[in-house]
Amino acid sequence: MADRDPFALTCPVPIGAYPTVLLAHGGGGRLMQQLIAQVFAPAFSNPALDAQHDASLVQAGATRLAFTTDSYVVKPLFFPGGDIGSLAINGTVNDLAMAGARPLALSAGFILEEGLPIDTLTRIVASMREAAAQVGVHVVTGDTKVVDRGKGDGVFINTAGIGIVEHQLTIGPAAVRPGDAVIISGDVGRHGIAIMASREGLQFETTIESDCAPLVAPVLDLISAGIDVHCLRDLTRGGLASALNEIASVRGCSIAIDERAVAVREDVQGACELLGFDPLYVANEGRFVAFVPPDQAARAVAVLRRHAVSSDAVVIGTVSEDPSNLVTVKTRIGASRVVDMLSGEQLPRIC
Amino acid sequence: MADRDPFALTCPVPIGAYPTVLLAHGGGGRLMQQLIAQVFAPAFSNPALDAQHDASLVQAGATRLAFTTDSYVVKPLFFPGGDIGSLAINGTVNDLAMAGARPLALSAGFILEEGLPIDTLTRIVASMREAAAQVGVHVVTGDTKVVDRGKGDGVFINTAGIGIVEHQLTIGPAAVRPGDAVIISGDVGRHGIAIMASREGLQFETTIESDCAPLVAPVLDLISAGIDVHCLRDLTRGGLASALNEIASVRGCSIAIDERAVAVREDVQGACELLGFDPLYVANEGRFVAFVPPDQAARAVAVLRRHAVSSDAVVIGTVSEDPSNLVTVKTRIGASRVVDMLSGEQLPRIC
């Protein structure tokens, strides 16, 4: 996800408490929000940035554009279900999709570490080509830098994307309404666990593959079906829990979800229990939530289920005006617990 | 400069000769061109990329956009006349300017190394804000990643930029015509020498400051003055010599310049002699060449001289149909020498 401006988020620990950058500052949680709020937002504040979307909206003549960027530093470079190349394309394409935009063009900036095997780079680039072809978008401009051995980590990739916004909806946290149904596009936790298992050499009975995939088709289908989509968000760093917390904080509302409705594959659940992770916070790269009016929820779910990538779409919760701005989960045993925003990611460098 | 696709460039050394990435692969010279030709271009080939501009042209509805990206890995982060922040804004804004585009919006992706002082980041971001304000453009979307200590080098920044193309000209190597005058916007060599001196702790009698500056205003003024601009190129990695070689190779023409017309400040010349550098190959971050019809050259120079950043603009040479595709320099003593493309940059990590 592109960073969002968190003016409205609570920042209990002042950034001054951390005079240097920590790994958690890149984790999509509260520390990253603090870094943005205290360093980036005051410097760069402008209406497009302050709107807090995955992608910013920019008017270009008569055309409404979405514009987004992400750098990818995932470790390892190759993992079950994907690699840094497919991630760099899908991640940015998905940020455009979360604005309801049709991807128009991508850029790719490579920071290579001296000593990287050319074959490795060639494999990554081939994977990028394939991922881009899958959504019918081109990398139209690029850049290559090389840093000295020991000053990088193989390869880092930045992709930026331009999309065309062809609808008249306002999609974003501000458009969320009390009563909105919260729909999730499928099971959670696979990307983060796939990375973790691959990085640490963990063996499970089954190979857990990343869910890394493009989300453009189901989103554009939702919009062309006439669903009044209020908000979309992909569930990357910080997972479902962080995404819902951000939306609740920015919008000023509460969100209640039913844990039983959130699918977690048995092997992912097992790995989470073994590793001490909560699957609600584990990163995904092919999952999103959609906020829609309650009377359109069933139709929206039906539209999403037409697409393989969102064939398990289901309503998981609802929005209320409750001013506590909390995200609560009704657990499997019927109790209710608050899921707060974490300080950082449970797993660093997952994207 | 954003990488250009060098299909037409000669690549005498096969990339297979280098199984791993070398520092020179990022240097803007022949090795980088080989990497692009053999790894990136075959994978990503498409008309916009293949047009070989500093920025690619993308049609968005009725609007013609320019789109570009660059990552910045300069070392040290702060140097006389600028820092990685001002460089990251001006470099990308200048790539848009080289398409004759008016900058519309920028993205910023930060890759931070664990342990980077927050104060350092704050200074860099303030410098970015100032540079962006100078050209009236906003950073509208951003991203922050953090990598483990020893896996980065303080901070790397990627910026991508969207610009609006408001003219009807075709600006690029393909539009260069025999007889075109080659205009340079000012003296060369300051950025590279400033970086080198700063990095190596060299002391000269005077402090040599980088020429890092935005080039939008003089370029847009050239176009609005009705000059038929054929090609524009900023003189970054590889300097004037590499820029002219790229254009000559892509267009299939020869270019002759007069060394006496290319201004090199005395202190820069002295430093180059001391360090064994040829100023024609040293990187600049606020200099460009413009190719214009010969009968419009005097007027173009007059327009450029209205702007402080290009107040020393002067005609330095001319284009001929000579099929050798060579760049030749008439030296101060009247002899003629060929300036070829180097394998890499004389100075790594200058941007």
Side-chain angles (χ1 to χ4, degrees), chain A residues 3 56 140 144 148 237 349, chain B residues 3 56 140 144 148 237 349:
Chain A
D3 296 346
S56 276
V140 300
T144 312
D148 340 37
R237 282 183 283 185
R349 295 188 58 185
Chain B
D3 296 344
S56 276
V140 300
T144 311
D148 339 37
R237 282 182 283 184
R349 295 187 60 184

Side-chain angles (χ1 to χ4, degrees), chain A residues 106 108 125-126 128-130 132-133 136-142, chain B residues 4-7 35-52 56:
Chain A
L106 300 179
V125 168
M128 292 178 76
R129 172 179 51 185
E130 196 177 315
V137 68
H138 285 299
V139 174
V140 300
T141 186
Chain B
R4 284 170 290 271
D5 173 354
F7 277 121
L35 186 71
I36 297 171
Q38 299 194 24
V39 177
F40 297 121
F44 294 140
S45 179
N46 61 76
L49 186 70
D50 301 348
Q52 311 176 48
S56 276

Side-chain angles (χ1 to χ4, degrees), chain A residues 157-218:
Chain A
I157 302 176
N158 176 285
T159 47
I162 307 176
I164 295 200
V165 180
E166 290 161 336
H167 58 78
Q168 300 303 320
L169 301 169
T170 301
I171 297 176
V176 169
R177 298 279 166 269
D180 274 359
V182 182
I183 300 171
I184 197 166
S185 64
D187 69 312
V188 300
R190 276 194 276 140
H191 177 71
I193 296 300
I195 294 293
M196 185 64 180
S198 177
R199 191 187 302 168
E200 305 298 336
L202 304 178
Q203 299 282 342
F204 302 111
E205 273 184 38
T206 51
T207 298
I208 297 171
E209 294 203 332
S210 167
D211 60 324
C212 181
L215 300 170
V216 178

Side-chain angles (χ1 to χ4, degrees), chain B residues 8-339:
Chain B
L9 295 180
T10 49
C11 293
V13 183
I15 198 130
Y18 303 103
T20 62
V21 170
L22 312 177
L23 270 175
H25 278 125
R30 185 167 282 130
L31 275 174
M32 192 173 90
Q33 301 294 10
Q34 286 177 24
L35 186 71
I36 297 171
Q38 299 194 24
V39 177
F40 297 121
F44 294 140
S45 179
N46 61 76
L49 186 70
D50 301 348
Q52 311 176 48
H53 290 294
D54 276 331
S56 276
L57 297 186
V58 177
Q59 194 70 34
T63 308
R64 196 155 68 130
L65 300 176
F67 186 29
T68 190
T69 190
D70 264 306
S71 298
Y72 298 86
V73 300
V74 66
K75 183 179 167 180
L77 298 174
F78 301 90
F79 47 83
D83 55 63
I84 191 172
S86 55
L87 197 60
I89 299 294
N90 286 330
T92 290
V93 157
N94 288 349
D95 278 346
L96 294 175
M98 294 304 112
R102 185 184 303 278
L104 178 67
L106 300 179
S107 68
F110 295 84
I111 299 177
L112 310 177
E113 184 190 9
E114 186 186 16
L116 176 77
I118 297 279
D119 282 351
T120 303
L121 182 62
T122 303
R123 280 175 65 197
I124 291 167
V125 168
S127 169
M128 291 178 77
R129 172 180 52 184
E130 197 177 314
Q134 207 184 330
V135 285
V137 68
H138 285 300
V139 174
V140 300
T141 187
D143 174 59
T144 311
K145 295 293 189 311
V146 181
V147 295
D148 339 37
R149 205 180 286 263
K151 299 294 184 187
D153 197 10
V155 52
F156 302 141
I157 302 176
N158 176 285
T159 47
I162 306 176
I164 296 199
V165 179
E166 291 163 337
H167 58 79
Q168 300 305 319
L169 301 169
T170 300
I171 297 175
V176 168
R177 296 279 166 271
D180 274 359
V182 182
I183 300 171
I184 197 166
S185 65
D187 69 311
V188 300
R190 277 195 275 141
H191 177 72
I193 295 301
I195 294 293
M196 185 65 180
S198 177
R199 191 188 300 167
E200 305 297 336
L202 303 178
Q203 300 282 341
F204 302 111
E205 272 184 38
T206 51
T207 298
I208 298 171
E209 295 203 333
S210 167
D211 60 323
C212 182
L215 301 171
V216 178
V219 165
L220 293 184
D221 214 9
L222 267 188
I223 293 169
S224 63
I227 304 291
D228 296 323
V229 178
H230 290 166
C231 187
L232 298 164
R233 184 136 302 178
D234 54 350
L235 309 178
T236 55
R237 282 182 283 184
L240 173 64
S242 302
L244 295 182
N245 266 284
E246 277 189 17
I247 293 167
S249 295
V250 170
R251 167 60 177 79
C253 64
S254 290
I255 301 171
I257 65 169
D258 184 343
E259 193 165 30
R260 288 165 304 180
V262 180
V264 182
R265 263 178 31 176
E266 204 173 331
D267 50 3
V268 172
Q269 184 70 49
C272 280
E273 282 168 14
L274 195 70
L275 298 162
F277 293 143
D278 181 339
L280 297 185
Y281 290 92
V282 175
N284 313 275
E285 288 293 341
R287 292 290 175 260
F288 67 105
V289 287
F291 289 67
V292 303
D295 57 338
Q296 299 181 16
R299 196 154 59 86
V301 166
V303 170
L304 292 178
R305 287 188 180 170
R306 287 185 214 152
H307 298 267
V309 74
S310 52
S311 57
D312 294 326
V314 64
V315 174
I316 57 166
T318 183
V319 175
S320 76
E321 198 65 278
D322 182 319
S324 62
N325 300 354
L326 291 177
V327 177
T328 52
V329 174
K330 193 173 154 198
T331 64
R332 285 163 211 279
I333 56 165
S336 184
R337 67 177 170 115
V338 172
V339 289

